[in-house]
Amino acid sequence: MKRLIAADSSCDMKEIPGVLAIAPLTIQLGDKDFVDDKNLNTETLMEAIQAHKGRSSTACPNVQAWADAFLQADETFVVTMTSALSGTYNSARVAMEMVKAEHPEKKIDLLDSLSTGPEMRLLVEKLEELIQDPSLDFDAVCAKIREYKTHTKLFYVLQSLHNMAENGRVSKLVAGAVDILGMRIIATASREGTVQSLSKCRGDRHAMEKLLVHLEEAGYSGGRFRIGHIGNPEGAKRLEDAILSRWPQAQVLCYPSGGLCTYYAEKGGLMIGAECR
Ligand code: X90
């Protein structure tokens, strides 16, 4: 019996043959497409985004990309980015129905993360553990990952919401308040899987202090902590140091975000996935 995890590329992870399949989103700058797969160089993408002046947008993974993954395994555990902001969940659902019609014996579990980025990464990492446990059958893995999701949270500190607003993913009013030099927005994913602003502050130091307060309020107490940064390794390191000085037992991992998060969280952005209460 073969088990597989499938996730869209907003989880910032690369495919692991036989373990993790990634369905890529696409970033469109004018008539140039950047497929968010393992061949994408995010540095090049970032430069192209900075240089691009006209319209830009993104597209969710196509149904076939998901179906190709589902066909590889007997049991597939799928995690998608929030269905409130993207058609990604829906394309996975259509693929699931298509594959099940042909192969009714295949089991596919679809989980809407109502989040993205590093919180999705935590979910995928947990699934990697769960699917290796032979004492857990399909339903048990489904139940355990849902229980785990009640203890994970997404936070992000951004310098700009321009691309989110341009593509109708956040109101221009919220975005406008951030597009001022030196302003930072700290936000989270709402229960419904939309952008929920928590604080606006001036400068990185204030943003960092405020973020620690939000983390504490959310019940973070030193578990797994994932930091995806958009061309901001120094900011990610400063946050890692702050976390470790307050919670020395924290398991922190910093990494450059994938293409989709790079486009929406924009240069300088930090995205955080944390195990909370
Ligand atoms: O289907 C598509 O074209 C993709 C649309 C994605 C829109 C949201 C991406 C968010 C990326 C920015 C901050 C996090 C907000 C998350 C709230 C749940 C990262």
Side-chain angles (χ1 to χ4, degrees):
M1 203 251 322
K2 179 148 175 38
R3 287 178 157 177
L4 184 74
I5 305 162
D8 64 77
S9 62
S10 77
C11 72
D12 298 328
M13 296 174 87
K14 301 254 185 279
E15 64 178 50
I16 309 169
V19 179
L20 172 63
I22 299 290
L25 286 103
T26 303
I27 298 104
Q28 303 165 325
L29 306 181
D31 52 15
K32 195 160 170 27
D33 279 3
F34 293 82
V35 179
D36 190 15
D37 64 11
K38 60 178 187 299
N39 302 315
L40 180 70
N41 180 325
T42 48
E43 303 265 326
T44 312
L45 173 68
M46 223 177 319
E47 284 163 22
I49 293 171
Q50 302 295 107
H52 182 74
K53 292 286 175 274
R55 273 292 297 163
S56 60
S57 61
T58 55
C60 68
N62 60 45
V63 172
Q64 196 57 49
W66 288 116
D68 289 346
F70 304 165
L71 287 168
Q72 293 175 36
D74 305 298
E75 295 185 352
T76 310
F77 300 89
V78 191
V79 189
T80 74
M81 73 183 305
T82 172
S83 64
L85 297 178
S86 170
T88 298
Y89 177 84
N90 201 49
S91 78
R93 196 181 48 75
V94 172
M96 173 176 84
E97 281 161 11
M98 214 169 85
V99 169
K100 279 196 166 179
E102 288 279 310
H103 304 274
E105 74 291 353
K106 286 198 188 292
K107 292 185 175 174
I108 303 168
D109 177 49
L110 212 51
L111 177 63
D112 180 355
S113 72
L114 297 172
S115 182
T116 184
E119 186 181 3
M120 254 177 88
R121 187 185 180 115
L122 285 175
L123 296 172
V124 171
E125 288 177 1
K126 177 58 77 179
L127 276 171
E128 284 182 48
E129 292 168 23
L130 295 175
I131 64 170
Q132 278 173 36
D133 185 341
S135 73
L136 298 175
D137 66 12
F138 181 81
D139 291 340
V141 174
C142 298
K144 284 211 177 278
I145 194 64
R146 279 163 181 72
E147 204 279 325
Y148 181 69
K149 199 175 99 60
T150 65
H151 299 288
T152 57
K153 259 191 132 3
L154 176 72
F155 292 93
Y156 39 99
V157 184
L158 308 186
Q159 305 185 0
S160 165
L161 283 170
H162 176 83
N163 289 341
M164 291 284 278
E166 277 301 296
N167 288 287
R169 261 80 189 190
V170 73
S171 82
K172 298 221 170 178
L173 202 69
V174 173
V178 190
D179 266 334
I180 299 169
L181 196 68
M183 285 306 277
R184 305 283 179 269
I185 185 172
I186 305 177
T188 186
S190 69
R191 276 182 191 282
E192 298 77 34
T194 55
V195 172
Q196 182 182 346
S197 169
L198 296 173
S199 314
K200 291 182 194 82
C201 24
R202 201 168 280 278
D204 287 321
R205 204 167 51 82
H206 285 138
M208 189 78 81
E209 285 165 8
K210 202 75 200 172
L211 176 63
L212 291 178
V213 173
H214 289 305
L215 282 163
E216 202 135 21
E217 277 170 9
Y220 178 70
S221 59
R224 285 182 195 175
F225 197 90
R226 302 290 174 258
I227 310 171
H229 68 82
I230 294 86
N232 188 4
E234 307 81 12
K237 179 76 176 88
R238 275 198 302 276
L239 175 57
E240 173 172 17
D241 291 346
I243 293 297
L244 288 173
S245 80
R246 184 164 320 183
W247 294 286
Q249 76 283 20
Q251 299 151 264
V252 186
L253 182 70
C254 296
Y255 55 87
S257 296
L260 198 272
C261 291
T262 293
Y263 174 75
Y264 282 107
E266 302 193 43
K267 202 166 163 69
L270 295 177
M271 296 182 68
I272 292 125
E275 286 181 345
C276 293
R277 184 169 51 218

